[in-house]
Amino acid sequence: MHTGGPPPAQGLYDPVFEHDSCGVGFVADVKGRRSHAIVEQALEVLINLQHRGACGSEANTGDGAGILIQMPDAFLRKEADRLGFHLPPARAYGAGMVFLPHEVDARRQIQALFERIAVEEGLQVLGWRDVPTDDSHLGSAARAVAPVFRQIFVARAAAPAETGDPRVDHARFERKLYVIRKRVEHAVDALDALPGHSFYVPSLSSRTLIYKGMLTAAQIEPMFPDLSDISVESALALVHQRFSTNTFPSWPLAHPYRFVAHNGEINTLRGNVNWMRAREALLASEVFDAGDLQRILPIIRKGGSDTAAFDNVLELLVMAGRSLPHAMLMMIPEPWQNDPRMSAARRAFYEYHASLMEPWDGPASMAFTDGTVIGAMLDRNGLRPSRYYVTKDDLVIMASEVGALDVPPEHVVLKERVRPGRMLLVDTEQGRIISDDEIKDTLARERPYGEWLERHLIHVDNVPPAPFLPPPDHETVLRRQHAFGYTLEDLKLLLEPMAKTGDEPLGSMGTDTPLAVLSDRPRLLFDYFKQLFAQVTNPPLDAIREALVTSMASTIGPERNLLRPERESCRQIIVDDPVIDNEQLAKLRHIRLDGFRSCTLTALFAVKEGRAGLERALAALEADASAAVEAGHTILILSDRGVTDAMAPIPSLLATATVHHHLVRSGCRTRCALVVESGDAREVHHVALLIGYGAGAVNPYLAFESLD
């Protein structure tokens, strides 16, 4: 039976395709004044955004709706007293909403696991609370997969604060709650006998509490009567109504998540997730207790949506010590490469962080909060609307569209929209709205990013030239074109127009080429992956915006610890285009600069050995890559030069993916860069796939020589 989470991969469905196109909004009191009115107004915003959500064949089974509020201390204290346990002062205890299975034994096993891990982490479990619910208005599909709802309460150890700084001690407590939740998630995922999809922890925090589920906007308050209690007070409330585009609704995939609610899609998701997995081996942070980071891996939990993966990574960055605005700007940077008006300090901030992490690109409107600050931002493309009002009584109302909350015009002091690459931020502790310029200029001044870049980031043009450049072998071009499957169409319709204009050739929308998997003719491996790229209903970028928001620059070199900003983190080589020519490749092959050593790995296999020979060659490639990294090489060049009648090329996509995933599994992927010297790549699609599967740059040498 479907248990409330996304179904397992089957047929044409895979849970990695979970995306949303939704309604998101928040209401916040700038001065941090808590009231039940904020909760009521946020629920009104949610109901007014109901048309942005969706439901199934049953009108009363929704795709998902939810609300995030500050910890309602007075309400929870009253409930704890009723249940017979005492809560310590606010922020000295944490409360979590937990989705549990209906099976009694499974539920008890998970609760016992929760309690054991909490004690192991030095905290005290105060008790559990059954969350009152009323599912009478839900459709049968939603009721059939609804979990059991319970809240857990845990407290700090009785020992006095270790640092004497309340902020530091509270951050440490919040981190411990994070570690407990991650450990419990991993432990339950490892118990195959338990219905894992019916277990989920929407929130476990001393700051915030989340109510959400497979609901419509109008159902969330009746479903959770807690939200109607006047003692449930908050200075901010983040709401979301889900439209699960071509995907399955479920209880866990409703928003908000622990830090964000999202309208749109993360279209770079597969690459983002793969690279996060690769970076885990280098993660280290002095703010975590010994061993904690290893216990919470993997950071991204399987079975989530694009927003869930984004939230997992954002949560890690915040727990490791970065501020929430800082972490958001790392993951969703504004377009900085081609903006002539941007200050040098701000440009250096973005360029430095580009060495640590690639952007999570939308289109995306992201609302975020940690329970103290709340804000919203658009990605660089700006293709999702977000508008906000500021009122005379210091309310900020943000939503996917205007009119989400009825405010008399005479009470409005500002009507604005969140602009592409810009951030709206309300700090309820400082009691003010912080401007986009102040946020970014303050972050840019935190460290000498410009000085670090000047000393450590190297443009490929400044790399010393190679001692010699081997001349192209024109006599063997035709034979190699046969070996790599070139056709007259490739030369005339693809390569020749690119050589003449520098642009990718354009054609009609339709194509009568059979799908590679159905074709009777041998096809390039690239052709089997044409559906990996997002196809969404977004307007095309105009030429002006495209010039501003797109960049082809790529970096080559090892990465360092994502969680610790160091000057050497940007010790990389930058290329303006991931397609590099023979001269640039020769520079990398013979590089003699501090921090860089390169070696060339052969991507060929013995023809007469057939499939067995290919498998042996791939295994040898893995072993050679590991040995090269251990020997201190930071640039691995995968080359299929040297094709003969006896030695055939390994498809470059297969060779690249093999080495990439092998190094990820062995924990050393981010210690080196991959550069592909390929004879089979000749289309933009081919290069995009190679970059997506781990290449920092591609040298399509045979395409160049075919044009000579």
Side-chain angles (χ1 to χ4, degrees):
M1 184 182 81
H2 177 38
T3 54
Q10 53 189 292
L12 297 178
Y13 172 77
D14 193 297
V16 300
F17 299 138
E18 290 287 345
H19 297 285
D20 324 275
S21 186
C22 325
V24 62
F26 67 74
V27 180
D29 187 302
V30 177
K31 302 303 181 183
R33 297 165 296 193
R34 294 178 179 237
S35 69
H36 186 63
I38 294 289
V39 179
E40 291 178 327
Q41 289 170 318
L43 291 173
E44 183 179 345
V45 168
L46 185 62
I47 290 172
N48 288 335
L49 292 174
Q50 182 155 325
H51 60 284
R52 284 186 168 267
C55 59
S57 58
E58 298 174 329
N60 53 358
T61 293
D63 275 9
I67 182 170
L68 178 154
I69 58 176
Q70 290 177 324
M71 190 66 69
D73 181 67
F75 169 75
L76 294 179
R77 198 168 296 281
K78 177 182 66 174
E79 287 296 298
D81 290 342
R82 181 180 63 81
L83 294 169
F85 58 89
H86 176 71
L87 292 180
R91 294 206 168 188
Y93 72 92
M97 177 72 82
V98 185
F99 293 174
L100 292 164
H102 283 272
E103 295 81 358
V104 175
D105 290 342
R107 188 163 68 247
R108 287 175 178 168
Q109 188 174 355
I110 292 174
Q111 290 185 192
L113 192 63
F114 227 126
E115 294 174 8
R116 176 176 62 79
I117 290 176
V119 171
E120 288 176 0
E121 294 294 336
L123 301 186
Q124 177 188 4
V125 177
L126 301 175
W128 291 83
R129 171 180 180 252
D130 291 316
V131 179
T133 58
D134 177 9
D135 64 1
S136 60
H137 51 288
L138 270 60
S140 58
R143 284 201 308 272
V145 295
V148 172
F149 304 90
R150 302 202 78 195
Q151 287 171 342
I152 185 173
F153 296 84
V154 294
R156 292 188 189 185
E162 297 178 14
T163 67
D165 185 336
R167 287 177 177 268
V168 173
D169 292 331
H170 180 238
R172 178 176 295 170
F173 179 52
E174 196 70 16
R175 235 176 345 259
K176 189 58 66 176
L177 296 173
Y178 167 64
V179 171
I180 290 170
R181 195 200 82 234
K182 295 290 287 186
R183 286 190 60 192
V184 173
E185 288 175 349
H186 296 334
V188 173
D189 289 344
L191 297 173
D192 295 334
L194 289 179
H197 283 307
S198 56
F199 165 74
Y200 181 73
V201 185
S203 63
L204 178 61
S205 173
S206 61
R207 299 170 175 169
T208 58
L209 189 62
I210 295 174
Y211 292 84
K212 70 175 187 177
M214 193 171 156
L215 308 164
T216 65
Q219 291 173 341
I220 188 166
E221 187 173 11
M223 177 66 184
F224 298 112
D226 286 0
L227 296 172
S228 301
D229 193 302
I230 60 172
S231 62
V232 173
E233 297 181 329
S234 180
L236 56 85
L238 174 61
V239 294
H240 186 274
Q241 170 72 52
R242 188 170 191 245
F243 190 117
S244 52
T245 313
N246 299 321
T247 57
F248 283 93
S250 72
W251 287 86
L253 293 186
H255 299 215
Y257 289 93
R258 290 103 191 175
F259 281 89
V260 300
H262 170 214
N263 171 26
E265 294 142 335
I266 303 297
N267 283 327
T268 55
L269 181 65
R270 179 170 294 198
N272 297 134
V273 171
N274 287 343
W275 276 113
M276 191 62 219
R277 179 71 182 89
R279 294 183 178 111
E280 289 178 351
L282 291 181
L283 294 181
S285 174
E286 58 276 2
V287 302
F288 281 92
D289 291 341
D292 275 356
L293 273 174
Q294 285 65 45
R295 286 191 285 267
I296 65 174
L297 300 179
I299 298 303
I300 298 176
R301 191 184 184 203
K302 290 183 179 180
S305 64
D306 54 343
T307 317
F310 183 98
D311 185 76
N312 287 161
V313 177
L314 179 68
E315 185 178 33
L316 172 71
L317 295 175
V318 173
M319 292 299 169
R322 287 184 172 91
S323 68
L324 183 54
H326 188 164
M328 287 295 298
L329 290 173
M330 284 180 64
M331 298 182 71
I332 309 180
E334 65 179 304
W336 56 270
Q337 290 98 331
N338 303 317
D339 187 350
R341 300 167 300 173
M342 183 175 291
S343 69
R346 193 184 297 184
R347 183 187 304 276
F349 170 85
Y350 288 119
E351 189 168 11
Y352 172 83
H353 286 93
S355 300
L356 297 176
M357 174 179 283
E358 70 291 333
W360 292 60
D361 258 342
S365 169
M366 200 73 74
F368 56 89
T369 183
D370 62 3
T372 299
V373 301
I374 190 167
M377 66 181 301
L378 297 186
D379 72 320
R380 67 185 75 191
N381 299 297
L383 299 177
R384 290 292 183 270
S386 293
R387 300 182 179 274
Y388 65 94
Y389 287 2
V390 181
T391 68
K392 291 180 178 179
D393 55 351
D394 292 310
L395 283 187
V396 175
I397 303 146
M398 193 286 298
S400 296
E401 57 193 63
V402 296
L405 190 65
D406 188 16
V407 180
E410 62 271 18
H411 289 175
V412 177
V413 296
L414 177 66
K415 294 182 179 181
E416 250 295 359
R417 65 186 178 94
V418 183
R419 300 172 187 273
R422 301 294 187 263
M423 180 182 291
L424 163 69
L425 187 69
V426 180
D427 190 324
T428 63
E429 190 170 71
Q430 296 187 37
R432 66 189 184 102
I433 299 172
I434 304 177
S435 72
D436 178 79
D437 285 338
E438 181 181 348
I439 296 164
K440 294 169 180 175
D441 290 343
T442 300
L443 290 172
R445 291 193 298 266
E446 281 186 350
R447 289 181 172 84
Y449 296 116
E451 178 185 327
W452 291 355
L453 291 167
E454 186 175 351
R455 293 188 61 181
H456 296 286
L457 189 66
I458 304 168
H459 195 280
V460 69
D461 291 345
N462 297 324
V463 175
F468 65 93
L469 185 64
D473 184 3
H474 292 295
E475 290 75 15
T476 65
V477 165
L478 181 59
R479 179 167 60 83
R480 287 183 289 149
Q481 286 175 341
H482 290 163
F484 286 104
Y486 276 64
T487 65
L488 186 61
E489 183 181 71
D490 290 332
L491 297 176
K492 292 296 183 182
L493 301 183
L494 293 174
L495 294 179
E496 186 177 318
M498 284 193 284
K500 289 180 177 178
T501 67
D503 297 321
E504 184 180 9
L506 300 178
S508 63
M509 290 291 290
T511 174
D512 59 359
T513 307
L515 293 175
V517 71
L518 301 178
S519 177
D520 292 332
R521 300 187 61 186
R523 301 286 292 273
L524 293 175
L525 188 60
F526 298 110
D527 294 344
Y528 292 84
F529 292 86
K530 287 200 171 181
Q531 297 303 311
L532 280 182
F533 294 90
Q535 299 175 11
V536 292
T537 54
N538 295 313
L541 292 180
D542 57 84
I544 296 174
R545 182 180 296 183
E546 184 177 18
L548 179 65
V549 306
T550 60
S551 171
M552 298 301 293
S554 179
T555 55
I556 302 169
E559 293 187 14
R560 294 174 73 91
N561 179 12
L562 175 66
L563 304 184
R564 184 181 298 142
E566 301 170 303
R567 58 176 61 88
E568 295 85 0
S569 296
C570 58
R571 184 63 175 174
Q572 295 179 339
I573 298 167
I574 187 169
V575 293
D576 295 327
D577 193 296
V579 178
I580 59 175
D581 59 29
N582 294 342
E583 181 180 355
Q584 292 169 328
L585 179 64
K587 286 183 174 184
L588 298 178
R589 180 169 276 134
H590 298 281
I591 194 166
R592 293 292 184 272
L593 296 175
D594 288 344
F596 300 102
R597 287 181 62 196
S598 68
C599 69
T600 300
L601 306 181
T602 300
L604 302 172
F605 71 99
V607 175
K608 66 179 182 180
E609 297 180 12
R611 176 174 176 174
L614 176 60
E615 292 175 349
R616 274 193 288 273
L618 291 172
L621 199 56
E622 291 179 345
D624 291 344
S626 291
V629 173
E630 290 304 315
H633 292 96
T634 56
I635 300 174
L636 307 187
I637 301 171
L638 308 182
S639 175
D640 56 24
R641 279 191 182 271
V643 172
T644 65
D645 292 341
M647 300 299 293
I650 300 174
S652 61
L653 184 60
L654 178 59
T656 304
T658 296
V659 172
H660 171 79
H661 289 295
H662 169 71
L663 294 178
V664 169
R665 289 190 298 269
S666 59
C668 54
R669 175 61 185 90
T670 52
R671 291 165 56 186
C672 68
L674 299 183
V675 175
V676 179
E677 185 180 25
S678 161
D680 59 0
R682 58 253 200 192
E683 297 183 28
V684 172
H685 172 69
H686 301 169
V687 175
L689 278 169
L690 290 169
I691 298 296
Y693 275 92
V698 180
N699 170 243
Y701 66 87
L702 186 53
F704 291 145
E705 293 176 18
S706 296
L707 296 171
D708 290 342

